[in-house]
Amino acid sequence: MGNLFYYYDRYNPGELPRVVVEPPGPKSREVLNKDHELLMQSFVRWYPLVVKSAYGVVLEDFDGNSFIDLNSGIAVMNVGHSHPRVVKAVEEQVRKLIHYSLTDFYYEEVVEYSSELSEVLPIRGRKKFFFGNSGAEAVEAAMKICKGSAEGRRPYIIAFIGAFHGRTHGAMSLTASKPAQRRGFQPLLPGIIHVPYPYPYRCPFHVDAEECGEAVIGFMEEWIFRRMVDPAEVAAVFIEPIQGEGGYVTPPDDFLLRLRKLTSENGIKLVADEVQSGFGRSGKWFAVEHWGVEPDLVTMAKAVASGIPLGVVGGREDIMRLPPGSHASTFGGNPVALKAGTEVIRIIREEKLLSNVEKVGRYVMERAREWMDRYEMVGDVRGKGLMIGIELVRDRRTKEYARRELEAFLTKCFKRGIAVIGAGFSAIRISPPLVISQELMERSMDVMEEVLKEVVREHSSA
Ligand code: PLP
């Protein structure tokens, strides 16, 4: 058993965050300028944070500043940066075996990891796994598995508006959270149908939050399946149980169960994309567990191997049956990543991370709900565990997105040593490493509240 707050050996929590030079300082700027000169700038960077090193929940830049990390870069470092057990496992594995392609050969690390993962995957009975290197690759594989298992009889896939499933062509065809993600890349994959996601605060059907899930299911039955596509032609429904990039949106409590019923009745596979919501982030191993739903397939990446690239599809054995030669990846299931992954599972279990997530997550929700009472700009607070969205609006009644206000908020937080980003159009995305202590979370919330007050003041007088 390790120490949950292992980073306290190196940092005194009372001294965090620590800003000695306004970021980005001169040394960070050097890296930043070279980055702009050398890299295709197809990313959206929220503010100029240049990370030199990271440990636990602390990021250090090149100018001596220490930030509290509320991003986990992004939702990846769930067990904390450079967790000593992960570092040890990786070091040992690098000396033993770095690579020997699973496409053609066998090794033990993948079997060890698969049996460890089977114990936590929220699917009963026999299951199997496929390994790639990223979330998008896991989604690509899952699409092929669902179509392949239907042997060509089900050419359609349903996804949700607001979803983010990745940026490769197939995954991008499912993604629909911002037009920039798709602009200029048409034609995308044919046969993808998008339906509204039950976003309780902004229900596309203009019904009350708790009725939004039922309205979405009704729309699928009445308008999609009755008029557009026979459900017998649909291979799968892909869903993020909690939408990530789309705004950290939690669906109404009855929604996933209703969706499971609808898909089961029509022989449609339900794929839970847990790339962001998985691995303890929501306070359970997987977010679907909050609603007692059993998907057919689960896609995973991000936090699975604590920053070493690994994408995974886990699913029912009778579905995971693509024929030889039909799918593989040279690097997929790299032994170093798998060793890190095995350690991640053991750390979450042995160090009881889920109870820390529950405790600290509850504190964040309570505190953010107080903000709602105090600041008109805080329109909605939602989430599970340490996957929390705090949506800022210009006007409580019109719910106009407070985009500029969000940008100002994030930049000011950055300048004060809190690294936090947005999700959707105007939500603050709270997604710290799951090993964050209550004390550091309180300090972060204190700084964020000060910043929020400032933003409210500046923008109401603007
Ligand atoms: N699926 C979800 C739910 C995600 O949040 C992401 C990335 O943010 C992806 C898939 C794509 O993962 P990757 O960026 O590793 O390809």
Side-chain angles (χ1 to χ4, degrees), residues 139-150:
V139 168
E140 295 285 341
M143 290 170 90
K144 284 176 72 176
I145 292 164
C146 292
K147 283 185 172 179
S149 74

Side-chain angles (χ1 to χ4, degrees), residues 3 6 79-88 306 347 351 435:
N3 169 15
Y6 59 92
V79 301
H81 297 272
S82 294
H83 191 293
R85 287 178 60 174
V86 174
V87 171
K88 183 164 176 281
S306 202
I347 292 168
E351 297 185 8
V435 292

Side-chain angles (χ1 to χ4, degrees), residues 134-137 139 164-166 240 245 273 275-276 301-302:
S134 66
E137 275 184 55
V139 168
F164 187 89
H165 294 289
E240 291 168 271
E245 147 68 24
D273 183 347
V275 166
Q276 187 146 180
K302 286 194 184 282

Side-chain angles (χ1 to χ4, degrees), residues 56-67:
V57 302
V58 184
L59 309 172
E60 293 192 15
D61 73 2
F62 283 84
D63 300 280
N65 297 320
S66 306
F67 300 81

Side-chain angles (χ1 to χ4, degrees), residues 91-126:
E91 278 175 355
E92 283 171 9
Q93 186 59 35
V94 169
R95 286 196 195 92
K96 186 178 160 221
L97 175 72
I98 294 181
H99 169 83
Y100 214 77
S101 198
L102 269 185
T103 54
D104 293 79
F105 305 98
Y106 299 85
Y107 43 81
E108 144 187 76
E109 288 78 1
V110 73
V111 196
E112 177 194 49
Y113 181 66
S114 301
S115 43
E116 202 70 58
L117 187 54
S118 295
E119 284 180 25
V120 296
L121 194 78
I123 294 178
R124 283 166 299 174
R126 294 197 57 198

Side-chain angles (χ1 to χ4, degrees), residues 162-175:
F164 187 89
H165 294 289
R167 299 174 191 271
T168 51
H169 247 84
M172 172 177 55
S173 305
L174 300 180
T175 289

Side-chain angles (χ1 to χ4, degrees), residues 2-18:
N3 169 15
L4 181 58
F5 308 131
Y6 59 92
Y7 44 91
Y8 278 11
D9 293 348
R10 195 178 293 177
Y11 294 104
N12 175 354
E15 289 169 6
L16 292 169
R18 183 164 168 268

